[in-house]
Amino acid sequence: MQQIQWQDRFCIGVEEIDQAHHKLFTIVDKILDLYVEKHEDKFACVEGIKYFKAYAIQHFAQEEAYMRQIGYPGYLAHKQIHDRMKKETLPALERALYASNFSIEAVQRFIGVCIGWLTGHIVIEDRAITGTNAGEFPRVQLDDEASVVQGIILYPLREMFDTSAQWIGAFSPRDTIVDGQYYELVYRARQEKGLRIILVIGEPLLLRAAGRMFGIEFYARNEIVRFAMQEIVQNVVQRAAVSFGKAPNLYQLERDRFFEREEFLQLFQEQPPQYSLLFRVEEACFALCIDLLPAPDSPAV
């Protein structure tokens, strides 16, 4: 039986907040156990999801009160992230659940999004409250590739996956990534250039990364893995926005998809991305291709 494991590295050092985070993980684990693993009565799943939403909202208020109490300078940006989860993400997940009559896939999506969001939010945003991470992200310049890679990509990867990722250099389609999975995410922002991110990662590394985040072992890509990765990338995008002096909720995910290598090669040939970065994690490699897209009212180049 799969079981989502709480990990001590998620503690930020404030007892009431750590207890709340632990409880949120426990609620999601119970939903996974009762409905996805054991396929028990839908009623238990419905009630569990309602409970998660109510408890999450209660926790956000508790955490915001703590930030105000200590005069945390990042309070407003942090609250914006809470508000988006509370007012947009959770209601959208609920609508999808009811529209599908609580299908296994929709419940897996709920689990993936919630744990992905919690993991990224705790180790990046919440640990910043007490200074238990390596410090705030530096502001970076677009023309300083090393600064972009170190501050916006490597830092959150190391924090979230508790592993040492190394930047090797530029990625080329000639570089071989065994069992490569091609995952595209497109983000949009009003009056701003859009953002396209393509993650090229071997399936074993993808499953291992998800397993570290959840504390469980995955044997195949499923909706939990997909939406957990989506939330991790969203967190990186939010931090990138802050690093460039923008609001953390500036970029909204417009679409995402897995697609085939042949299409990726065609895209790469037609318009090489602005950033093509190759990384190593232990014995495996993965790549990130990042493109700025025209603003909504801008003519195509």
Side-chain angles (χ1 to χ4, degrees):
M1 180 186 72
Q2 291 187 326
Q3 185 178 23
I4 297 171
Q5 300 288 338
W6 169 261
Q7 301 171 53
D8 288 342
R9 68 189 181 94
F10 296 148
C11 292
I12 72 167
V14 180
E15 185 176 358
E16 62 180 6
I17 293 177
D18 289 337
Q19 287 177 350
H21 290 158
H22 195 171
K23 187 167 184 176
L24 287 168
F25 270 77
T26 301
I27 297 168
V28 176
D29 178 57
K30 198 69 174 176
I31 296 169
L32 174 66
D33 177 35
L34 289 176
Y35 199 65
V36 178
E37 293 290 321
K38 295 180 179 176
H39 305 292
E40 292 191 1
D41 195 327
K42 184 179 75 174
F43 176 78
C45 179
V46 174
E47 292 304 305
I49 287 168
K50 286 181 180 177
Y51 184 41
F52 177 90
K53 180 181 177 183
Y55 192 81
I57 292 171
Q58 175 186 325
H59 163 62
F60 293 161
Q62 171 197 51
E63 193 171 87
E64 289 161 15
Y66 177 78
M67 288 188 283
R68 291 193 301 270
Q69 177 187 336
I70 66 171
Y72 177 55
Y75 167 76
L76 289 178
H78 197 128
K79 186 178 185 303
Q80 284 182 330
I81 296 171
H82 283 174
D83 288 346
R84 180 171 177 264
M85 183 64 170
K86 179 171 63 177
K87 298 176 182 179
E88 298 178 24
T89 304
L90 286 173
L93 288 171
E94 274 192 312
R95 289 193 296 271
L97 285 163
Y98 281 99
S100 70
N101 196 26
F102 285 77
S103 68
I104 294 296
E105 291 75 16
V107 175
Q108 285 180 329
R109 178 183 181 184
F110 177 88
I111 292 169
V113 169
C114 290
I115 291 297
W117 188 91
L118 278 170
T119 300
H121 187 72
I122 290 170
V123 300
I124 300 297
E125 303 294 341
D126 289 345
R127 284 170 59 176
I129 298 172
T130 55
T132 49
N133 56 17
E136 293 185 2
F137 280 81
R139 292 194 178 276
V140 297
Q141 300 297 322
L142 277 173
D143 58 357
D144 185 353
E145 188 175 59
S147 177
V148 171
V149 172
Q150 181 64 37
I152 294 178
I153 299 173
L154 283 180
Y155 178 91
L157 288 176
R158 289 168 179 165
E159 288 292 294
M160 289 184 281
F161 295 128
D162 194 27
T163 189
S164 59
Q166 295 180 319
W167 176 36
I168 299 174
F171 169 70
S172 163
R174 294 188 297 273
D175 294 316
T176 301
I177 294 182
V178 179
D179 296 324
Q181 305 286 303
Y182 298 83
Y183 184 36
E184 178 189 53
L185 304 101
V186 175
Y187 295 86
R188 292 291 180 183
R190 288 184 181 178
Q191 310 302 320
E192 297 274 352
K193 290 184 176 180
L195 191 66
R196 177 169 68 187
I197 298 175
I198 298 177
L199 171 65
V200 185
I201 186 170
E203 186 170 36
L205 180 57
L206 174 66
L207 298 179
R208 193 159 74 245
R212 280 177 175 164
M213 183 168 59
F214 283 81
I216 62 181
E217 192 169 358
F218 291 98
Y219 299 98
R221 193 184 83 204
N222 60 21
E223 293 294 279
I224 296 177
V225 173
R226 173 189 172 188
F227 287 103
M229 292 300 104
Q230 183 186 108
E231 287 304 306
I232 292 300
V233 174
Q234 176 72 48
N235 194 281
V236 173
V237 168
Q238 287 174 340
R239 295 312 306 171
V242 171
S243 293
F244 288 106
K246 307 289 186 179
N249 61 349
L250 173 67
Y251 288 102
Q252 303 295 317
L253 181 65
E254 182 179 75
R255 64 180 185 272
D256 75 299
R257 61 176 179 140
F258 281 95
F259 63 109
E260 298 300 321
R261 172 176 169 79
E262 290 72 21
E263 185 180 353
F264 171 75
L265 293 176
Q266 183 177 349
L267 286 171
F268 208 102
Q269 184 176 17
E270 290 175 354
Q271 185 177 352
Q274 184 174 359
Y275 294 100
S276 300
L277 308 169
L278 185 63
F279 301 88
R280 182 182 299 280
V281 177
E282 298 169 356
E283 76 286 355
C285 292
F286 71 93
L288 278 175
C289 300
I290 305 171
D291 261 325
L292 290 175
L293 304 175
D297 298 328
S298 300
V301 178

